[in-house]
Amino acid sequence: VGRGSGSAFSPAPRGGEVRYLLIFAVFSLAAFGSPETIPFFQALDQIIQRSIPVGVQKETLEAKRAENLPAHLTLLPTLSLQASQTHSNVLGTDSARRGISARADLNLLKFGADVSTMKLAKAEERAEEFLVDDAVLKSEAEGVKAIVAFIQSRHELTAKKKILETRQEALETANLRFKRGIIPSQEVDKFAIDFANAESSVQDALAEIASTENELITLLGPAPTQSD
């Protein structure tokens, strides 16, 4: 799936690899008078940003970095700065002398232990970074699943509506044939049952759309307010 703009499932005009951009609508009656269209990767980024597990893991990583900060600073020398100022009066003449001294100390006896501590701190932080990556991947997988389910439900509704139209036409034809005495009423009843099943299937598809839409809106969060 490639980034870009275009209609739903429209192939890119160039390139040996066929790429698609999944565009979907998220309905929020409170904020929009019409559906808001969001590109696939923008939606995924929004889902990841709102993911609670990702947020928690990122906070854990930052806390670990703050905890390990002293370990990262152990190899730096200890700096000390001293400033002095003296006044003297010789034969009625005032004079002042100022001085600044700086000193840097590095404890070579602890150098090996400090290096080990710093390496351990880096390993701990790297482990937390892997956990952040894992949380992001899981959030992406959840987002992709929700987006695909939403798109699929809309396509299924379109297909089932077409089936319903076909069943309705078949039932109308059967009624005309019955009135002309060409087929018995039992045959009309069969077409009526097929039509009723198709109607029920459309209702199920509408319910599925509502379910997948609600799940997607939950992951994406409230729609942004339009500015004047």
Side-chain angles (χ1 to χ4, degrees), residues 4 19 41 48 51 73 87 97 110 116 136 141 148 179 192 223:
R19 297 186 178 186
F41 284 100
I48 292 170
S51 170
L73 300 178
H87 292 271
R97 177 180 294 179
K110 292 181 59 182
S116 298
V136 169
V148 171
K179 290 177 180 178

Side-chain angles (χ1 to χ4, degrees), residues 110-177:
K110 292 181 59 182
F111 193 79
D114 290 341
V115 170
S116 298
T117 302
M118 186 178 67
K119 287 182 177 179
L120 177 61
K122 287 183 177 179
E124 290 176 345
E125 291 169 18
R126 189 59 183 153
E128 293 296 338
E129 288 172 358
F130 281 129
L131 291 177
V132 171
D133 292 341
D134 182 63
V136 169
L137 286 174
K138 288 179 179 177
S139 179
E140 283 183 344
E142 183 182 13
V144 169
K145 182 179 177 182
I147 292 170
V148 171
F150 176 76
I151 296 172
Q152 183 179 356
S153 67
R154 295 177 70 84
H155 282 279
E156 286 182 357
L157 176 62
T158 301
K160 289 179 178 180
K161 280 184 175 180
K162 291 180 179 179
I163 293 173
L164 178 61
E165 291 174 2
T166 303
R167 295 286 186 262
Q168 184 175 6
E169 292 173 1
L171 178 59
E172 291 172 354
T173 302
N175 278 321
L176 291 174
R177 289 168 63 84

